[in-house]
């Protein structure tokens, strides 16, 4: 080991040893108590384990449906849907811009008919479904509710989450459609509609995951994510919504990387910060101040070199999420630096969660690292550094302004560049990449998506349009134009449109005509 000073991935110096003198001002709260540093439930996993999800979606709805049934049979307790890029940015599979991307990074969903195939044989009342979808999240949610109604389910009993976090798309990921202001309006429409129609649904999953994947540090991940959360809350308050009502349906989505103790400190600090933030914005119900979050292990930490090492990385990251108090977890497959996960890789990833849950003892007591000199000191240091960034963003007028000015994007890009420089110089060691390398090639089977998927989807679309009531579809799209123009809530009209089998692209294009596109 080098004798040079050590630091976390966020640049926080790490001392050789920590003692009681390093402990910050005591936070004597218990789990389930404000400010929730130690967790949002008093008994944590003794009362209920985290939801074990596996993020899956590829090719056609039928192929993804087979994977969902497989995962449910292996013991997952919640589904997590990945959509292909055309679906995410509002293009049907037969659109020219969809060429080469249909079914590649997720499942292609063009209409309610595809949604029916995606969940065939799965009662939506009986599962919790998370959908990683943002710009078109309102359309996919409407399709999900429409399908549930067709199944005879009560929408008020549906459990799940749409990601619906558009601000991080402008800052880190890029799957936006409309400019920020109309996008924020759609989000508050979802908040309002769901509070009446789908009250158990988590209306937004404010995502730090993609901010981290783009190259941010752990400190930046929570600072930028909580700032975005603050912007959504203020937008809803401005619309007249009750923070104590919609605040309970907000959830977060964080990344788990390899620096175990910094990641645990990050999760603990984020809960404490969000509780303080919501209280300062007027929340009086403690349940509206709780930061509940889903975690996914770090995709950007997976290596194509010696990919079986990724099983160990995912195990460390799983422990970080569990010791940090996550409510829901997806573990990545070891082969995901090479392709979408095979069934074997998905099974091992799920078994990793199950080993931690049932064999490690990590779930036996709430916040087991509380009181550690190092973890408590690090929690306070991560929090202090994150507040500094949030204060900078607030001084710029909030997240929307900071994104429009490029501040958040620039900060992420700088951190990503510095991290890569450390890897190239060897000051950051990655096993199998810049140290402990091997010359032999490992033969890892990969999942390949058939190029004919686009032709299949296009043929389906043509067939659907020949069978549906096209006059009714046009009437629904005209009503959507009127609602979007007048400022009324668009969700009831979107639901009516998907029930008439209007396609995702038709609905997205109708709103492009009203709102324009963000360039």
């Amino acid at each position: 080991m080098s004798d040079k000073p050590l630091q976390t991935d966020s640049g926080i110096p790490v001392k050789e040893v920590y003692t009681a003198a390093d402990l910050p001002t005591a936070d004597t709260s218990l789990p389930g108590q404000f400010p929730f540093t130690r967790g949002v439930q008093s008994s944590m996993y003794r009362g209920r384990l985290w939801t074990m999800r596996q993020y899956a979606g590829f090719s056609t709805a039928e192929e993804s449906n087979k994977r969902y049934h497989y995962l449910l049979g292996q013991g997952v307790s919640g589904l997590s849907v990945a959509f292909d890029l055309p679906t995410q940015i509002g293009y049907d599979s037969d659109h020219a811009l969809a060429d080469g991307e249909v079914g590649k990074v997720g499942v292609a969903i063009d209409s309610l008919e595809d949604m029916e195939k995606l969940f065939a044989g799965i009662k939506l009342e009986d599962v919790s479904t998370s959908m990683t979808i943002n710009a078109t999240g309102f359309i996919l949610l409407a399709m999900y509710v429409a399908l549930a109604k067709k199944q005879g389910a009560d929408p008020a009993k549906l459990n799940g989450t749409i990601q619906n976090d558009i601000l991080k798309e402008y800052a880190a990921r890029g799957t936006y459609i409309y400019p920020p202001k109309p996008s924020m309006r759609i989000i508050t429409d979802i908040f309002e509609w769901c509070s009446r129609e789908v009250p158990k649904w988590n209306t937004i999953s404010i995502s730090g995951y993609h901010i981290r994947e783009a190259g941010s540090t752990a400190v930046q991940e929570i600072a930028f994510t909580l700032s975005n959360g603050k912007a959504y809350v203020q937008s809803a308050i401005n619309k007249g919504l009750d923070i104590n009502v919609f605040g309970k349906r907000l959830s977060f989505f964080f990344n788990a990387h390899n620096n175990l103790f910094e990641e645990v400190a990050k999760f603990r600090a984020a809960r404490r910060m969000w509780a303080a933030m919501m209280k300062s914005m007027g929340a009086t119900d403690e349940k509206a101040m709780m930061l509940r979050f889903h975690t996914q292990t770090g995709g950007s930490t997976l290596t194509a070199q010696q990919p079986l090492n990724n099983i160990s990385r995912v195990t460390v990251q799983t422990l970080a999420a569990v010791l940090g108090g996550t409510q829901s977890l997806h573990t990545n497959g070891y082969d995901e630096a090479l392709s979408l996960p095979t069934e074997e890789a998905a099974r091992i990833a799920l078994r990793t969660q199950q080993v931690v849950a049932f064999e490690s003892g990590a779930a036996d007591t709430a916040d087991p690292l509380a009181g550690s000199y190092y973890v408590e000191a690090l929690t306070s240091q991560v929090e202090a550094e994150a507040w500094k960034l949030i204060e900078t963003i607030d001084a710029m007028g909030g997240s929307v302004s900071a994104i429009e000015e490029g501040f958040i994007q620039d900060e992420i890009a700088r951190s990503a560049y510095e991290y890569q420089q450390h890897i190239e110089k060897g000051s950051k060691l990655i096993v199998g990449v810049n140290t402990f390398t091997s010359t032999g090639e490992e033969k890892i089977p990969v999942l390949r998506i058939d190029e004919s998927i686009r032709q299949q989807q296009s043929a389906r679309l043509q067939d659907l349009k020949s069978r549906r009531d096209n006059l009714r579809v046009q009437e629904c799209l005209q009503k959507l134009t009127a609602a979007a123009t007048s400022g009324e809530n668009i969700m009831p009209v979107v639901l009516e449109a998907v029930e008439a089998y209007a396609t995702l692209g038709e609905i997205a294009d109708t709103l492009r005509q009203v709102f324009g596109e963000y360039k």
Side-chain angles (χ1 to χ4, degrees):
M1 290 289 287
S2 166
D3 58 0
K4 70 177 189 294
L6 291 175
Q7 58 185 29
T8 70
D9 289 342
S10 293
I12 296 170
V14 179
K15 296 171 64 172
E16 189 171 292
V17 67
Y18 287 76
T19 68
D22 296 297
L23 287 175
T25 305
D27 177 353
T28 57
S29 65
L30 292 171
Q33 293 179 359
F34 181 91
F36 312 109
T37 310
R38 302 197 59 196
V40 294
Q41 287 109 17
S42 59
S43 61
M44 284 305 291
Y45 304 130
R46 285 173 75 121
R48 179 187 174 190
L49 284 174
W50 62 92
T51 301
M52 297 184 194
R53 298 187 188 278
Q54 284 306 108
Y55 186 46
F58 59 92
S59 184
T60 61
E62 292 93 338
E63 287 301 312
S64 293
N65 176 262
K66 289 176 190 173
R67 178 66 65 87
Y68 295 157
H69 280 283
Y70 171 78
L71 291 169
L72 288 166
Q74 295 296 314
V76 299
S77 46
L79 297 175
S80 186
V81 184
F83 297 96
D84 72 358
L85 280 174
T87 303
Q88 291 182 50
I89 54 177
Y91 294 120
D92 288 334
S93 296
D94 59 358
H95 194 285
L97 292 178
D99 191 16
E101 291 294 344
V102 176
K104 287 293 177 69
V105 299
V107 62
I109 298 293
D110 294 320
S111 71
L112 176 58
E113 203 163 74
D114 286 331
M115 192 67 93
E116 291 163 2
K117 292 180 173 72
L118 185 66
F119 290 104
I122 299 169
K123 288 183 67 178
L124 299 190
E125 263 194 22
D126 295 343
V127 295
S128 166
T129 303
S130 172
M131 296 191 277
T132 302
I133 195 79
N134 298 283
T136 54
F138 65 104
I139 306 173
L140 274 299
L141 174 60
M143 288 181 182
Y144 192 87
V145 172
L147 175 58
K149 288 168 66 180
K150 287 192 75 172
Q151 290 184 351
D154 179 358
K157 293 180 181 176
L158 297 178
N159 279 292
T161 306
I162 44 171
Q163 192 166 105
N164 197 30
D165 174 5
I166 203 65
L167 290 179
K168 65 94 175 51
E169 295 298 326
Y170 303 116
R173 193 161 173 268
T175 63
Y176 46 73
I177 303 174
Y178 314 111
K181 287 186 174 62
S183 294
M184 294 292 279
R185 174 260 176 100
I186 292 172
I187 287 168
T188 54
D189 279 359
I190 293 168
F191 287 0
E192 183 179 52
W193 182 74
C194 283
S195 67
R196 295 193 309 266
E197 306 295 331
V198 202
K200 289 186 176 180
W201 196 267
N202 296 318
T203 49
I204 193 167
S205 175
I206 305 157
S207 175
Y209 184 84
H210 303 98
I211 289 170
R212 191 68 177 279
E213 289 293 284
S216 81
T217 65
V219 165
Q220 289 171 330
E221 179 187 352
I222 61 168
F224 298 155
T225 306
L226 298 187
S227 279
N228 288 348
K230 186 176 182 180
Y232 295 126
V233 169
Q234 191 58 58
S235 184
I237 290 170
N238 293 347
K239 191 164 182 172
L241 304 184
D242 185 347
I243 190 172
N244 288 315
V245 175
F246 74 79
K248 295 174 189 175
R249 302 309 335 152
L250 305 178
S251 68
F252 288 79
F253 175 24
F254 289 122
N255 212 314
H257 273 220
N258 292 327
N259 192 315
L260 177 70
F261 296 107
E262 182 174 49
E263 293 300 297
V264 172
K266 176 189 79 178
F267 297 132
R268 299 174 89 247
R271 272 194 298 271
R272 192 154 72 198
M273 293 171 72
W274 184 247
M277 197 177 274
M278 287 294 276
K279 190 172 186 177
S280 72
M281 296 182 79
T284 54
D285 187 327
E286 287 201 349
K287 287 187 176 177
M289 304 177 201
M290 290 180 178
L291 184 148
R292 297 166 300 115
F293 66 97
H294 169 70
T295 310
Q296 182 173 340
T297 56
S300 62
T301 69
L302 303 177
T303 64
Q305 301 94 326
Q306 301 179 23
L308 290 173
N309 294 343
N310 294 328
I311 297 173
S312 300
R313 293 187 177 99
V314 168
T315 304
V316 171
Q317 294 163 9
T318 300
L319 273 170
V322 171
L323 294 172
T326 193
Q327 276 62 68
S328 169
L329 179 61
H330 163 81
T331 34
N332 289 329
Y334 67 84
D335 55 359
E336 288 189 55
L338 303 169
S339 72
L340 291 169
T342 59
E343 275 195 3
E344 181 199 43
R347 184 178 65 252
I348 291 170
L350 175 61
R351 294 289 181 258
T352 301
Q353 293 198 50
Q354 291 165 336
V355 168
V356 170
F358 300 111
E359 297 183 29
S360 74
D364 291 352
T365 189
D367 194 22
L369 293 183
S372 154
Y373 300 144
Y374 180 37
V375 170
E376 294 293 355
L378 198 50
T379 299
S380 289
Q381 287 173 295
V382 167
E383 180 182 8
E385 292 301 313
W387 278 125
K388 286 180 193 173
L389 273 172
I390 290 171
E391 286 162 10
T392 301
I393 292 167
D394 285 347
M396 299 173 77
S399 273
V400 176
S401 298
I403 288 165
E404 287 174 342
E405 292 181 33
F407 171 75
I408 292 176
Q409 297 94 310
D410 289 347
E411 286 290 298
I412 294 170
R414 179 180 55 77
S415 293
Y417 176 75
E418 289 175 356
Y419 185 79
Q420 187 59 34
Q421 288 289 98
H422 287 309
I423 292 173
E424 290 179 12
K425 291 175 183 174
S427 54
K428 175 69 179 176
L429 297 180
I430 308 294
V431 174
V433 176
N434 64 357
T435 187
F436 306 115
T437 56
S438 59
T439 52
E441 262 189 61
E442 293 179 71
K443 298 292 183 187
I444 301 291
V446 297
L447 181 66
R448 302 202 184 278
I449 304 302
D450 195 322
E451 292 294 338
S452 68
I453 299 300
R454 184 171 185 242
Q455 285 72 39
Q456 292 178 40
Q457 284 294 113
S458 298
R460 278 184 181 175
L461 276 167
Q462 195 172 359
D463 178 56
L464 171 67
K465 289 176 181 178
S466 71
R467 289 184 283 107
R468 70 184 185 181
D469 183 343
N470 285 296
L471 183 60
R472 185 184 167 207
V473 169
Q474 288 310 310
E475 288 171 353
C476 289
L477 296 177
Q478 287 166 8
K479 286 170 72 175
L480 179 58
T481 298
T485 305
S486 69
E488 70 180 272
N489 194 307
I490 65 169
M491 285 304 297
V493 188
V494 173
L495 180 61
E496 187 181 342
V498 301
E499 288 177 330
Y501 291 90
T503 70
L504 174 130
E506 288 170 334
I507 293 168
D509 280 347
T510 298
L511 294 180
R512 280 184 176 96
Q513 296 301 312
V514 179
F515 298 145
E517 289 188 84
Y518 183 71
K519 302 294 183 187

